[in-house]
Each structure stands twice: as C-alpha cells, then as structure tokens.
Amino acid sequence: MTPGGWPDALAMGALGLALSVLLPALILGTRAGPAWARLWQRLCPPAGAALGGFVVLHAAVALGNCVLMPGTGVRIVLHAALLVGGLLFWLPVLGPARRLSEPGRCLYLFVGAPLLDIPMVAVIALGHHYGGLGMIVGMLPMGVAAAALTWRWISAEERAHQGRETALHGPADRFPLARQPGTARRP
C-alpha cells in the first residue's frame, strides 16, 4: 500500500506549485519595489550555488520525509527550508539583479527541472507513489517557464537580427526569395 495516498499527493503537489509558481510570482511581483529589489539583490546567490544547493536541499527534504517519516513539526520546518531554498533558486533567473544571460537562464531551468525530479523518482521507488507524482506534477510549471524564457530569448534575438539586416541592406533584402529574376543583389 502507498503511504499517504491522495492527501500526500495533494500536499506534495501544493508544495511543488508553491515552488514553481508562487515563488516566481512573488519575485516578479515585488522586484519593482525599491526595498524588495535591494533585498533580492542582497539575497541573490551565484547561479551555480543556487542550483546545486537547491537540488541537494530538495533531495534531502524529499527523501528525508520519505525515509525518516518525521513528525508534523519537523515536516513544517523542512518544507519552510525548502521554500527558502526555492526562493534562492529563482533569484538568479528572475531577480532584479539577474546574474544570468538569457541563454544562461534557459539552461539553468532546463538543467534544474530534471535534476529536481530525480529525488521524486526515488520517492516513488520507495513506495510513496502519490506524493512523488504529486510533486512532479506540481513542478511542471518550471518546464513551462523554461520554454517561455527560451521563446522570449529566441524572439528577441530574431528581432535584433532583422533590425541589423534592415540597417545594413535596407528593407528589400529581408526577403531574398521575393526578388524578381534578373535583378542584382546589393553587396
């Protein structure tokens, strides 16, 4: 029998949603305020430390809850620590003092998302199917965020390239296949 059942799935899914939706929304919603911006700038760790630290913390909390079965008070403390770690995880990507380039942000999230799922696969293997799947489903918005950031970056690069081409060659050369036969191409 799976320990926890559906209540465990709902609790872990809610925690996953808090990590992948609420924390990014908190950062995005408050980074324009000067006091919040200063706080986020002070708290923002280097990206490698944030990613590695959060992956290790996430694994320790998930597997610790599964193996040790701590009491309610200890679980609350562990989940609070996980939320603080999640906040630090998102700051290099969304904080006002972003330390990552656009490609770096995409890579950070595309590397981080599967690394955060590995401990949940172990939780499932240990028999906590509902909780493990709940957390994986709750963390799916992180992949959506990675895809959205990638699309935004690609679109910005394309607009910049088109602007450079227009500045160099004029608007007629933007569509080379539309030239009439016998017309010479400008250098």
Side-chain angles (χ1 to χ4, degrees):
M1 181 171 153
T2 300
W6 288 108
D8 196 25
L10 291 175
M12 294 296 277
L15 183 59
L17 281 173
L19 291 169
S20 65
V21 175
L22 292 180
L23 292 178
L26 173 70
I27 294 169
L28 289 173
T30 59
R31 71 179 180 177
W36 284 103
R38 281 192 304 275
L39 176 66
W40 296 147
Q41 287 173 353
R42 285 188 198 127
L43 290 177
C44 188
L51 177 60
F54 186 58
V55 167
V56 169
L57 177 66
H58 185 260
V61 169
L63 295 172
N65 277 335
C66 180
V67 173
L68 301 176
M69 302 290 238
T72 304
V74 174
R75 286 181 77 156
I76 290 171
V77 170
L78 289 174
H79 289 177
L82 191 60
L83 290 171
V84 169
L87 184 70
L88 295 175
F89 168 81
W90 282 103
L91 282 175
V93 178
L94 301 174
R98 254 187 270 144
R99 297 180 178 179
L100 293 173
S101 64
E102 292 295 322
R105 294 167 64 192
C106 299
L107 183 63
Y108 183 89
L109 290 177
F110 276 120
V111 167
L115 287 177
L116 293 169
D117 285 342
I118 291 171
M120 300 323 296
V121 172
V123 166
I124 292 168
L126 289 170
H128 296 263
H129 306 105
Y130 291 102
L133 288 174
M135 179 64 92
I136 289 173
V137 169
M139 298 282 280
L140 285 176
M142 186 180 297
V144 173
L149 286 173
T150 302
W151 186 258
R152 193 173 91 181
W153 167 51
I154 290 170
S155 297
E157 287 287 322
E158 180 65 22
R159 282 191 303 275
H161 178 71
Q162 287 175 350
R164 286 189 303 269
E165 286 293 316
T166 300
L168 288 174
H169 303 292
D173 279 352
R174 284 182 52 204
F175 306 103
L177 297 178
R179 284 192 212 104
Q180 297 297 322
T183 59
R185 180 180 175 161
R186 288 186 243 164

